[in-house]
Amino acid sequence: MAKQQTVKVQLVRSPIGCKESHRATVRGLGLRKLNSVSELQDTPAVRGMINKIDYLVKVL
């Protein structure tokens, strides 16, 4: 069996003052505080969420 690909995402900018849907996307990715890191499966859905809030996060 092949190992699942993962992607690490870090919150580098505060979602305060952003759209409510963008804040919900940040929470959906499992990010809470500034500089928090979340390791997620690399799926098209997760990639779309990252692209939506690309100005708030950094892919490690």
Side-chain angles (χ1 to χ4, degrees):
M1 294 202 170
K3 184 182 175 198
Q4 283 283 33
Q5 295 293 327
T6 60
V7 60
K8 280 189 178 183
V9 183
Q10 181 179 18
L11 185 64
V12 294
R13 202 168 152 227
S14 174
I16 295 173
C18 296
K19 289 183 176 180
E20 187 61 41
S21 64
H22 290 200
R23 272 188 254 162
T25 303
V26 169
R27 294 294 294 130
L29 288 173
L31 301 169
R32 304 194 93 200
K33 296 182 178 181
L34 217 53
N35 295 318
S36 62
V37 177
S38 184
E39 189 168 354
L40 306 156
Q41 290 184 358
D42 193 6
T43 62
V46 170
R47 284 287 176 176
M49 291 171 79
I50 292 170
N51 286 337
K52 182 176 180 179
I53 58 166
D54 61 346
Y55 63 100
L56 296 175
V57 297
K58 178 171 68 172
V59 178
L60 303 176

